Amino acid sequence: MIIALLSLGYSKNDPVIVRAVKGLKATACTIGGFTHIPYTTAHVWNTALISYSLQESKVQSAHDCIKKANGYLLSRQHTRYGDWAIHNSKAIPGGWGFSDCNTINPDVDDTSASLRALVPKHDSFPQQKSSWVQGLSFILSMQNDDGGFPAFEKNTDKHLFTLLPIEGADTILTDPSTSDLTGRTLEFLGTYANLKKTERSMKKAISWLLHNQRNDGSWYGRWGICYIYGTWGALTGLMAAGFPHDDRRIKKAAKWLMNIQNSDGGWGESCYSDIKKEYVPLGASTLIHTAWAVDALISQSPHATAEINRGISFLIQNGEKEDWTASYPAGQGLAGYVYAHYHSYRYIFPLLALSHYQRKYSV
């Protein structure tokens, strides 16, 4: 926007430009001794995931670290209406957004992530129980008519918009149901809200996921890279909803994951998967992709299989590895164009996978 305004003749000393530059500088942080300016801040997202993963690894909710993190999350719950209310007029505010300064544009993923962090102890803060219930109500209100869950706006998935002569119109102008969001929401509702697969909202979400499974057994993930991410979200969601682990569609998804496991026990996927809309191996294993894949397999397997054990071994042996795979993008911003590296992911998701392995198989 700064460049656009300058090209229109605005002076670099114009108050609008000066304020914009100041705002841009305010996002700067230092990583490895170098100044880094992210395309957006992710305070809420990172805080929610870190608090949740620590609690999954048996850090008590009374721990000072968790209390501070969850206190911050409670302070960032939205109380104002935004554009989302146009298509979801009966809902009241109660969600969470991605960044610290976001107060009117909540999304389903950040809301469920925040509620995961807040759910273990409703009595940690006086307002925590009512905030949690309000957040849960917001998530349920966002379910699309097709049964899946979007990110920001309800029922804004008209195919007509994708035909406009705008590059990337399908991701810029629409917000359809996606496998990763639907799966992650199912996982939250089944595990933490104790909703059963017979509940209407759960049945609709399960049906949407099964209908959108690809022929090879995988699912496409919109906000992560990419088929491993979508399959992780879908499998963990279906399992948390009480779907049978021996169903042929579950077995098909697990088989797909096992078939793409690398010889070192890990998994890795290229960003070209998103661009080509088919799975493209990275040619190396990453901690993040391995954690997603092994966590998905853990969710559907009653016993620790050889593939799961190899994946866990990879995470343990390579937890402190520093090479290009440690910073390879694992998140999507604008599908096909913008990919994100989350510095915390290499710690969060391996910790979750290891915690779930230990809990389920009592090792």
Side-chain angles (χ1 to χ4, degrees):
M1 292 303 297
I2 293 170
I3 294 171
L5 291 172
L6 290 174
S7 70
L8 290 173
Y10 279 68
S11 167
K12 66 180 181 180
N13 296 317
D14 187 284
V16 173
I17 301 296
V18 172
R19 186 182 178 195
V21 171
K22 184 179 179 181
L24 191 62
K25 288 182 177 180
T27 69
C29 58
T30 302
I31 300 173
F34 295 94
T35 299
H36 177 74
I37 299 181
Y39 77 95
T40 183
T41 56
H43 296 89
V44 175
W45 180 242
N46 285 331
T47 302
L49 289 180
I50 292 170
S51 176
Y52 161 62
S53 63
L54 288 173
Q55 291 177 79
E56 284 289 276
S57 66
K58 299 183 180 179
V59 175
Q60 297 299 309
S61 58
H63 191 286
D64 191 49
C65 173
I66 303 301
K67 290 173 67 176
K68 286 181 178 179
N70 288 358
Y72 166 78
L73 290 175
L74 287 171
S75 75
R76 305 317 299 160
Q77 187 173 26
H78 292 192
T79 59
R80 301 164 60 197
Y81 287 89
D83 290 348
W84 55 267
I86 295 173
H87 300 288
N88 193 10
S89 58
K90 294 182 180 180
I92 62 174
W96 278 264
F98 185 72
S99 58
D100 184 71
C101 60
N102 181 354
T103 59
I104 61 172
N105 295 300
D107 65 89
V108 170
D109 220 8
D110 279 281
T111 301
S112 70
S114 296
L115 292 177
R116 281 187 187 88
L118 294 169
V119 70
K121 290 286 185 181
H122 287 317
D123 55 0
S124 297
F125 291 87
Q127 79 270 35
Q128 188 159 327
K129 185 174 182 178
S130 61
S131 294
W132 197 88
V133 172
Q134 196 169 331
L136 172 61
S137 176
F138 178 79
I139 286 181
L140 292 172
S141 78
M142 286 292 290
Q143 188 168 24
N144 282 333
D145 290 346
D146 64 11
F149 284 85
F152 299 97
E153 294 191 62
K154 184 176 181 177
N155 292 330
T156 55
D157 56 353
K158 299 296 186 291
H159 180 69
L160 179 64
F161 290 122
T162 67
L163 302 178
L164 293 174
I166 299 174
E167 192 171 14
D170 57 334
T171 57
I172 297 174
L173 301 180
T174 65
D175 189 9
S177 300
T178 65
S179 300
D180 47 330
L181 287 175
T182 303
R184 297 298 295 143
T185 305
L186 259 183
E187 193 276 334
F188 164 73
L189 294 174
T191 303
Y192 301 99
N194 297 317
L195 296 188
K196 307 303 180 185
K197 65 179 181 179
T198 53
E199 298 273 354
R200 184 171 182 270
S201 59
M202 301 289 275
K203 289 173 67 175
K204 288 177 63 179
I206 290 170
S207 177
W208 187 92
L209 276 177
L210 296 178
H211 179 72
N212 285 275
Q213 186 178 25
R214 290 164 57 87
N215 290 333
D216 62 8
S218 68
W219 281 270
Y220 168 76
R222 163 64 180 88
W223 297 97
I225 307 298
C226 185
Y227 292 97
I228 293 177
Y229 184 69
T231 304
W232 167 65
L235 267 184
T236 53
L238 289 169
M239 292 299 97
F243 203 72
H245 69 86
D246 56 354
D247 182 272
R248 61 178 178 80
R249 290 156 293 192
I250 300 300
K251 288 184 175 181
K252 190 175 185 180
K255 183 178 180 181
W256 178 79
L257 282 172
M258 290 186 286
N259 285 341
I260 63 169
Q261 187 174 21
N262 293 330
S263 59
D264 60 6
W267 282 261
E269 184 173 358
S270 169
C271 292
Y272 281 109
S273 284
D274 172 59
I275 296 170
K276 296 183 177 182
K277 291 297 181 286
E278 62 181 28
Y279 171 74
V280 178
L282 181 61
S285 298
T286 75
L287 289 167
I288 299 167
H289 282 123
T290 301
W292 288 337
V294 77
D295 196 41
L297 291 175
I298 289 169
S299 74
Q300 59 79 49
S301 180
H303 309 287
T305 64
E307 291 82 4
I308 290 174
N309 287 335
R310 289 174 61 219
I312 291 295
S313 293
F314 177 89
L315 293 176
I316 294 172
Q317 294 169 9
N318 294 276
E320 298 182 9
K321 186 177 181 180
E322 295 291 348
D323 63 7
W324 66 271
T325 65
S327 58
Y328 190 79
Q332 288 192 54
L334 182 61
Y337 302 91
V338 178
Y339 300 101
H341 167 57
Y342 292 88
H343 294 81
S344 58
Y345 273 22
R346 63 172 295 177
Y347 307 107
I348 291 169
F349 293 110
L351 179 58
L352 284 172
L354 291 167
S355 299
H356 294 160
Y357 179 87
Q358 184 182 55
R359 179 186 305 169
K360 187 165 188 177
Y361 306 126
S362 300
V363 296

